Amino acid sequence: VGFFFAEHPYSHLIDTVKDGTIKFFNPQKLNDPRYDKLPLSIRVMLEATIRNCDGVYTKEEDVQNILDWQQQQNKAEVPFSPARVLLQDFTGIPAMVDLAAMRDAVAKHGVDPSLVNPKCPTDLIVDHSLQIDFSKCAIQNAPNPGGGDGAHHSQGPSRSTPSRPPSKGGSHCGGQRGSCSKSACSDPPASPGRPPASVQQIENTPLLCPFHLKPVSETETALKNQEMELIRNKERLQFFKWCSKAFKNVNVVPPDVGAVHQVNLEYLSRVVQLSDGFIYPDSVVGTDSHTTMINGLGILGWGVGGIESEAVMLGQPVSLTLPQVVGCKLVGSINPLTTSIDIVLGITKHLRQAGIAGKFVEFFGPGVSQLSAPDRTTIANMCPEYNATVSFFPVDQVTLKHFKKTNFTQEKLELLESYMKAVKLFRSYEDPSEDPEYSEVIEINLSSMVPYVSGPKRPQDRVAVGDMKEDFQSCLDEKVGFKGFHISKEKQEIRVPFLHCGQEYQLAHGSVVIAAVISCTNNCNPSVMLTAGLLAKKAVEAGLVVKPYIRTSLAPGSGMVTHYLSTSGVLPYFNQLGFEVIGYGCATCVGNTAPLPEAVVDAIKQGDLVACGVLSGNRHFEGRLCDCVRANYLASPPLVVAYAIAGTVGIDFEKEPLGVTSEGKEVFLRDIWPSREEVQQTEEDTVISSIFKELRGRMKKGNTFWSNIECSDSVVFPWDPKSTYIRSPSFFSRLSKELPQPQSIENAHALLFLGDKVTTDHISPAGSIARVSAAAKYLLSKRLTPREFNSYGARRGNDAVMTRGTFASIKLCNRFMGKPGPKTLHIPSGQTMDVFEAAERYQRDGIPLIILAGKDYGSGNSRDWVAKGPYLMGVRAVIAESFEKLHKNQLVGMGIMPLQFLPGQNADSLELNGKERFTISLPDTLSPRQQLSVQTSQGNSFAVTALFDSDMEVLFFRHGGLLRYVARTLKFSIVT
């Protein structure tokens, strides 16, 4: 805001609130009737453009284009300067490493490196490094054979003869989940009409050790995982600590505080910002795919790539085509048994079918008022799954009520309300006269929502819970594809016995082996977590248990989730069923699941079983949770608990019991499902106000390990040549002062020949580093043991590891190869080799590379290494049928051309086998969406469209990527 306002082109719009002490730009003073018709999300963009209008990056023409949104939508390219940037550590560390490298680059040219700082306030949350090293079981009364019938059930010991494993010296747990060998922990017989002793103990103790029933301050498992996280990632944490001291405008939130989207919701969100005496709407861009959650609070925000976030940090606005805004009108009443997750998945399906890729979605209609603020943030979180940019809920009384319970002062609430009403960013959903005009309107009836799960391979494939058993059977029958596994009929009945902790169990197709309530999507919403907790409570009281071989875990988004689960009295019941808090941060969802018991893995492989994972996240691409778990379902937290108890996904909850008590009584899901009123009452009594106070306490307290980390006070980072975590990348090598002319791509080979739906997981894995991978070979050469490899995500500050990890997914389907895996064909020699080794060989020979692909190339999470990796491999262009928009932007940001086949054409229709050599001629002057000619060594040619959406993107590409553009345009001279 720091302008000389006499010179500001819109200084006449400045108004005041709070007795004239706080200023703001008031778009209503434009006296333009078009403003009242704008969607509220577009009004936020308009205010930011007015406030930041400097005549250079943001011009008066941009203001007029946004004001004329009805005519300019999907046409005009406009800038947007968010109020802040949000980084999570996996994608944040390469951004900060690049800034540190940029300091080196300018220092070499005699420029003060301390000039390189983020201009936009930046928050970096260290949360994605958590792995599940420790996972223990909690106390249960007896083994549970699981519900349902038929071939898909996981069978345990007979109910009539429940047996306990023999004691082994009194030091270890036995075969049952949490059954302690100490005789003092054994339950005495329950009296008629009284719950078992373990339930009585739980009721009398708010938080106990689940192994020996001794009071503890925090779960032992979580503490051990946190300790391992800090030790394993010490180098990275030292770098983060240096960043917090060396860079201005950078706030680092240390580990063990919470997941990035949780901290953003609970601590960083402000709705309005105050700076230099001006008030304006809060807005954010972030490198985490869950950044969009913030739109549920009326704060405009979306995910960007790491290189785009770096540009914003350095003062560049985000450039985007003025979006179309789809109005999503919610009507009808919510079914009491429907959770917000059911509503999320229902809306996701409706909007995905509507074809709204790249558009804004804005909610309106009387049904919106029925959704709490946590409900809205949960819905907003899923917008990347239907390819919308944002799902925006304008501020209303429900939003204000939420912030009143989150320790906003009354004075701040009054200021917020006064300002939002003054600029017409506050609305009443019951008043249709306030409805703006939208590009189109989609109406969704909330009363039509029923419980669903999503899977077994993609988040958009929804299955009604009532149809789950039948649908899984059809998945076994169908050919291998987006849903099918093609298991022959004679093999569908197979059951494989195995021993676990001295007891025999059986696995079958559909057996649940992973059940995880994790830190994505749901944990921001207390109602669904409390529903799961109350369900666990009722299940324990009914005598139900979870089999001990199932990998159960509870990884809350922040400590506040543990706090309200404990305060409400349900956490011990989670523990009782094995859902013990393992730590805070992303774990199962990003592939950091602890290994399954060897006996389970062996049984799955022996029977070639389609084993299942059930998780309450929003990502579950095949093989992501665990290589041997082929079917993975997204479900609400209470359904995760229910399927864990059942032990199988092949169950009809309406007709079949979850289990049978030791007295022989059948217990159905409906018997233990808590009512909506019960959940809401628990939430009101124990959750809303205290959870935010608890997080603020964690923020202030920090942790001793972080406080004791030592780091350099130098202006430039002291790179350690021996480090395998942090390396200075080569993006700024040979940086010229003058802008080079576009260089044609001549006689390129195809590094990969890919099909449809290549995800960012395929391109740049985030999970563990396979022992036989190119990255593993590099780390072994540095004398690291496999136990010290850590994950790809944790090593994103090391370009040598990440380049070798590019296209290292075991699920990569390369048409040059006969089976999935990280291999490709080195065309000149005809040899099969690792993708990295082939790329390295091509580079040694001076041969440029391209990639051929099908539809939806680059779908999935936002990760800048999906562009940086191919760039360092020597890839100059990707030719595909279609691209995920965000990934397309990332390719442009690294100077890689995204080229699209013309409509109706693809590699097959053009009879390409991928082994040709390709020449792509570039004109001296490139323009957005220009058609280019591709010549092949076979004498054929075809046209492609260069997917540059704006002149700014063409400029980024000409500079060789966004980083070089930013470096050249900083306020210092670079000598060649």
Side-chain angles (χ1 to χ4, degrees):
V1 182
F3 296 108
F4 295 99
F5 284 100
E7 303 173 6
H8 194 289
Y10 291 101
S11 58
H12 61 287
L13 301 184
I14 295 176
D15 209 338
T16 61
V17 290
K18 199 178 179 182
D19 301 325
T21 59
I22 297 177
K23 300 176 183 179
F24 67 97
F25 285 89
N26 191 348
Q28 289 207 86
K29 295 181 74 173
L30 290 168
N31 296 317
D32 193 314
R34 291 177 295 179
Y35 181 73
D36 290 348
K37 298 179 182 179
L38 291 177
L40 276 72
S41 52
I42 300 299
R43 296 180 199 179
V44 174
M45 291 184 61
L46 177 63
E47 187 281 336
T49 308
I50 290 172
R51 176 167 38 86
N52 291 286
C53 188
D54 59 1
V56 181
Y57 297 117
T58 304
K59 303 176 182 179
E60 291 184 62
E61 177 187 359
D62 299 318
V63 173
Q64 292 304 314
N65 282 336
I66 296 176
L67 197 57
D68 194 28
W69 171 79
Q70 282 288 359
Q71 302 302 318
Q72 296 296 327
Q73 58 180 300
N74 218 27
K75 298 178 183 177
E77 193 75 15
V78 296
F80 175 63
S81 298
R84 54 191 174 92
V85 175
L86 183 71
L87 304 176
Q88 49 98 330
D89 58 351
F90 270 15
T91 48
I93 194 167
M96 300 310 298
V97 165
D98 290 345
L99 291 185
M102 191 181 292
R103 281 196 169 188
D104 289 345
V106 301
K108 290 177 182 178
H109 295 294
V111 178
D112 182 2
S114 65
L115 294 176
V116 178
N117 287 295
K119 293 183 179 179
C120 185
T122 301
D123 296 294
L124 193 156
I125 292 86
V126 184
D127 77 321
H128 272 56
S129 56
L130 177 67
Q131 294 187 31
I132 306 174
D133 294 285
F134 300 95
S135 179
K136 291 186 178 180
C137 49
I139 294 173
Q140 291 184 343
N141 300 318
N144 180 52
D149 57 7
H152 313 315
H153 296 173
S154 177
Q155 297 296 327
S158 169
R159 296 183 185 91
S160 59
T161 58
S163 61
R164 292 183 180 272
S167 173
K168 296 183 179 181
S171 60
H172 301 289
C173 286
Q176 298 177 40
R177 190 177 294 275
S179 59
C180 183
S181 58
K182 295 185 178 182
S183 59
C185 290
S186 300
D187 282 344
S191 302
R194 289 172 57 82
S198 58
V199 174
Q200 299 171 39
Q201 289 169 314
I202 284 177
E203 291 173 344
N204 295 330
T205 310
L207 182 58
L208 302 174
C209 168
F211 306 102
H212 306 104
L213 298 178
K214 295 180 180 179
V216 292
S217 58
E218 192 161 0
T219 310
E220 179 186 5
T221 301
L223 292 176
K224 286 187 176 182
N225 281 312
Q226 290 156 16
E227 181 181 1
M228 285 298 298
E229 174 186 8
L230 297 174
I231 294 173
R232 178 186 289 117
N233 296 284
K234 184 176 180 180
E235 276 187 61
R236 296 170 61 250
L237 296 177
Q238 285 177 324
F239 176 72
F240 286 139
K241 191 76 174 282
W242 175 83
C243 290
S244 68
K245 296 170 63 176
F247 290 110
K248 299 177 182 177
N249 258 350
V250 173
N251 170 45
V252 177
V253 178
D256 193 31
V257 170
V260 55
H261 40 288
Q262 290 297 121
V263 175
N264 190 26
L265 283 174
E266 301 160 14
Y267 187 79
L268 302 174
S269 61
R270 298 174 178 85
V271 184
V272 293
Q273 295 276 0
L274 279 170
S275 177
D276 296 332
F278 275 77
I279 188 171
Y280 50 95
D282 189 12
S283 56
V284 62
V285 293
T287 59
D288 185 71
S289 61
H290 303 288
T291 302
T292 52
M293 293 181 94
I294 206 69
N295 291 279
L297 299 178
I299 299 170
L300 188 63
W302 61 84
V304 295
I307 46 183
E308 293 172 297
S309 68
E310 291 173 54
V312 176
M313 290 162 63
L314 292 169
Q316 308 291 317
V318 176
S319 180
L320 72 160
T321 303
L322 194 59
Q324 294 178 290
V325 182
V326 176
C328 186
K329 186 175 184 179
L330 301 183
V331 298
S333 300
I334 300 174
N335 187 304
L337 296 180
T338 301
T339 71
S340 61
I341 308 305
D342 301 319
I343 297 172
V344 167
L345 296 177
I347 290 175
T348 297
K349 182 178 181 180
H350 278 286
L351 295 180
R352 181 176 283 276
Q353 291 174 342
I356 56 174
K359 301 177 183 179
F360 281 17
V361 175
E362 186 168 301
F363 289 85
F364 75 109
V368 179
S369 299
Q370 300 175 58
L371 303 178
S372 67
D375 288 337
R376 298 175 188 186
T377 57
T378 308
I379 293 169
N381 179 65
M382 288 296 278
C383 78
E385 303 303 335
Y386 42 83
N387 291 325
T389 304
V390 301
S391 290
F392 189 72
F393 288 83
V395 175
D396 69 340
Q397 287 295 339
V398 172
T399 316
L400 293 183
K401 182 180 178 182
H402 170 76
F403 280 106
K404 186 176 182 179
K405 295 176 180 178
T406 62
N407 301 320
F408 267 43
T409 64
Q410 187 62 33
E411 180 183 13
K412 186 173 182 179
L413 284 171
E414 291 174 358
L415 175 62
L416 186 159
E417 185 174 2
S418 297
Y419 168 71
M420 298 298 275
K421 287 183 176 179
V423 294
K424 289 197 172 181
L425 290 175
F426 188 95
R427 69 155 306 168
S428 169
Y429 289 105
E430 288 80 8
D431 186 356
S433 67
E434 294 184 12
D435 292 348
E437 295 181 0
Y438 295 106
S439 306
E440 61 178 299
V441 173
I442 298 172
E443 184 172 299
I444 298 178
N445 192 330
L446 296 176
S447 61
S448 66
M449 303 297 176
V450 295
Y452 280 87
V453 296
S454 182
K457 299 182 181 182
R458 304 187 304 173
Q460 64 264 38
D461 297 324
R462 299 171 68 235
V463 184
V465 172
D467 300 333
M468 181 64 168
K469 182 175 182 178
E470 181 180 345
D471 186 83
F472 183 74
Q473 178 63 53
S474 69
C475 290
L476 295 180
D477 296 333
E478 289 179 14
K479 293 182 179 180
V480 174
F482 293 138
K483 291 196 69 172
F485 298 101
H486 198 55
I487 305 298
S488 62
K489 287 291 185 182
E490 62 271 15
K491 293 185 178 180
Q492 290 182 17
E493 302 298 323
I494 189 171
R495 297 184 183 183
V496 181
F498 68 97
L499 289 177
H500 179 74
C501 292
Q503 292 194 24
E504 182 176 305
Y505 299 90
Q506 289 186 350
L507 289 182
H509 293 294
S511 291
V512 173
V513 294
I514 296 176
V517 177
I518 59 178
S519 58
C520 290
T521 304
N522 313 300
N523 295 352
C524 71
N525 193 318
S527 66
V528 291
M529 291 300 294
L530 287 173
T531 301
L534 292 169
L535 180 71
K537 179 177 183 291
K538 291 173 178 287
V540 170
E541 291 172 342
L544 298 180
V545 294
V546 175
K547 294 183 183 64
Y549 61 79
I550 297 177
R551 183 68 69 189
T552 50
S553 60
L554 171 59
S558 71
M560 75 88 167
V561 180
T562 304
H563 176 78
Y564 71 67
L565 292 177
S566 180
T567 303
S568 61
V570 299
L571 186 58
Y573 296 95
F574 265 128
N575 293 342
Q576 180 91 353
L577 295 181
F579 290 92
E580 192 177 34
V581 176
I582 54 88
Y584 304 98
C586 290
T588 305
C589 209
V590 294
N592 289 347
T593 306
L596 294 175
E598 287 188 17
V600 173
V601 174
D602 292 343
I604 293 172
K605 291 180 178 179
Q606 178 184 338
D608 191 25
L609 299 177
V610 181
C612 298
V614 187
L615 63 153
S616 60
N618 74 339
R619 299 284 184 182
H620 67 339
F621 298 114
E622 185 179 5
R624 185 170 190 170
L625 303 189
C626 182
D627 292 346
C628 63
V629 181
R630 286 190 275 171
N632 298 294
Y633 289 91
L634 303 181
S636 64
L639 284 177
V640 172
V641 176
Y643 279 113
I645 295 171
T648 177
V649 299
I651 180 174
D652 185 336
F653 285 131
E654 282 296 315
K655 300 177 182 178
E656 302 169 60
L658 287 177
V660 179
T661 67
S662 57
E663 291 81 20
K665 179 184 177 182
E666 293 184 338
V667 180
F668 289 81
L669 180 60
R670 59 179 173 269
D671 298 328
I672 60 173
W673 190 276
S675 68
R676 191 175 183 85
E677 291 74 21
E678 185 179 2
V679 173
Q680 290 176 342
Q681 188 62 50
T682 304
E683 183 177 7
E684 291 172 3
D685 291 345
T686 63
V687 178
I688 296 299
S689 61
S690 62
I691 57 179
F692 296 92
K693 188 181 299 181
E694 194 271 345
L695 177 67
R696 281 167 172 77
R698 292 176 73 91
M699 288 289 293
K700 292 178 182 178
K701 179 183 177 182
N703 64 65
T704 304
F705 189 96
W706 173 260
S707 301
N708 291 337
I709 288 177
E710 297 180 358
C711 66
S712 171
D713 293 325
S714 59
V715 177
V716 294
F717 184 69
W719 307 98
D720 180 359
K722 296 180 181 179
S723 174
T724 57
Y725 277 100
I726 308 294
R727 271 180 33 130
S728 181
S730 58
F731 301 130
F732 298 101
S733 62
R734 299 184 299 278
L735 180 65
S736 63
K737 182 178 180 181
E738 300 299 327
L739 178 63
Q741 289 296 316
Q743 299 292 315
S744 296
I745 301 173
E746 298 183 356
N747 293 316
H749 270 305
L751 177 64
L752 295 161
F753 191 7
L754 306 172
D756 297 341
K757 297 288 183 181
V758 175
T759 71
T760 52
D761 276 353
H762 293 124
I763 303 171
S764 184
S768 60
I769 298 173
R771 297 190 180 194
V772 295
S773 65
K777 294 175 186 177
Y778 167 80
L779 293 173
L780 288 170
S781 73
K782 298 297 181 180
R783 298 185 177 181
L784 296 183
T785 66
R787 187 174 180 83
E788 297 170 308
F789 284 176
N790 210 325
S791 65
Y792 282 113
R795 293 191 180 272
R796 285 190 181 181
N798 185 325
D799 60 310
V801 171
M802 296 309 297
T803 306
R804 287 166 172 78
T806 304
F807 298 111
S809 170
I810 60 171
K811 298 296 181 181
L812 181 71
C813 293
N814 180 7
R815 293 175 64 176
F816 287 148
M817 299 291 99
K819 60 182 180 179
K823 300 287 184 180
T824 195
L825 177 69
H826 181 256
I827 296 170
S829 67
Q831 292 180 313
T832 295
M833 57 184 68
D834 286 341
V835 177
F836 170 78
E837 292 173 353
E840 193 175 39
R841 189 164 173 180
Y842 280 123
Q843 285 189 303
R844 282 200 307 266
D845 297 338
I847 299 175
L849 296 171
I850 67 168
I851 292 172
L852 296 174
K855 299 175 183 176
D856 299 326
Y857 181 80
S859 58
N861 297 61
S862 165
R863 295 177 189 161
D864 55 351
W865 273 108
V866 295
K868 288 180 177 179
Y871 170 81
L872 291 177
M873 280 182 161
V875 174
R876 297 282 306 279
V878 178
I879 306 177
E881 288 185 68
S882 63
F883 292 82
E884 174 86 8
K885 181 178 176 62
L886 183 56
H887 180 56
K888 187 273 298 181
N889 293 342
Q890 292 166 337
L891 292 175
V892 173
M894 284 309 301
I896 298 175
M897 280 197 299
L899 304 176
Q900 187 172 32
F901 290 110
L902 297 185
Q905 293 185 352
N906 56 35
D908 292 331
S909 69
L910 295 170
E911 298 183 349
L912 301 176
N913 61 27
K915 299 179 182 179
E916 304 90 346
R917 300 195 75 163
F918 299 83
T919 296
I920 305 169
S921 301
L922 298 184
D924 291 338
T925 303
L926 274 171
S927 59
R929 295 277 172 173
Q930 184 172 351
Q931 284 196 7
L932 303 175
S933 175
V934 181
Q935 304 283 334
T936 73
S937 56
Q938 303 299 318
N940 301 324
S941 66
F942 57 95
V944 292
T945 302
L947 295 185
F948 302 120
D949 290 332
S950 65
D951 290 331
M952 186 65 76
E953 287 197 354
V954 172
L955 188 60
F956 290 162
F957 172 73
R958 289 194 58 201
H959 274 274
L962 191 58
L963 292 174
R964 289 171 172 261
Y965 168 79
V966 170
R968 285 194 179 99
T969 54
L970 284 175
K971 302 300 183 182
F972 49 73
S973 88
I974 298 178
V975 182
T976 307

